Amino acid sequence: MSGDIGALKARVTLQSPLRIADEIGGAAITWSDEGDVWAEVAALSANEGAALDSLTSYASYRLIIIRRDDVRAGWRVAWGARLLRVTGVRDEGAPRIQLTCEEETL
């Protein structure tokens, strides 16, 4: 992880899933903003795949943010017009944590 505070250049919004029950026993997922943070964003990989007669591309990213105890896999990160799904959180008790994220686009 980068030790330089100047590396945290991207302003992102952390969002947690919120399950809202409906009248027929189901639920819908909405997203609740949990706060804006500065992040270091690095692209890790990109690939394409075909599913159901459409071409899907995936990109993975590593984000480093100031330590928070509430961030979990399953959250998402709004980064400009991009939405990144948090797939993993690396927390070693250091002042910063690392988020592994995926962006899926059609």
Side-chain angles (χ1 to χ4, degrees):
M1 286 190 227
S2 174
D4 183 15
I5 192 74
L8 304 178
K9 296 178 183 175
R11 193 72 169 160
V12 300
T13 302
L14 298 173
Q15 299 177 330
S16 65
L18 184 60
R19 186 175 208 112
I20 305 293
D22 62 20
E23 299 97 28
I24 58 172
I29 301 293
T30 62
W31 295 93
S32 173
D33 288 352
E34 299 297 334
D36 294 334
V37 298
W38 290 101
E40 175 183 346
V41 180
L44 297 177
S45 66
N47 58 47
E48 292 181 340
L52 302 174
D53 293 332
S54 67
L55 186 63
T56 304
S57 64
Y58 297 89
S60 62
Y61 295 87
R62 179 188 68 231
L63 280 71
I64 296 173
I65 64 171
I66 300 293
R67 185 182 205 324
R68 287 179 57 129
D69 294 329
D70 57 345
V71 181
R72 302 280 182 264
W75 282 31
R76 75 180 185 186
V77 175
W79 176 38
R82 298 172 188 239
L83 293 174
L84 309 176
R85 184 177 55 250
V86 178
T87 59
V89 178
R90 183 176 167 193
D91 183 356
E92 298 173 345
R96 297 202 176 98
I97 59 174
Q98 178 177 307
L99 309 178
T100 305
C101 301
E102 288 184 351
E103 176 185 32
E104 182 177 341
T105 57
L106 295 176

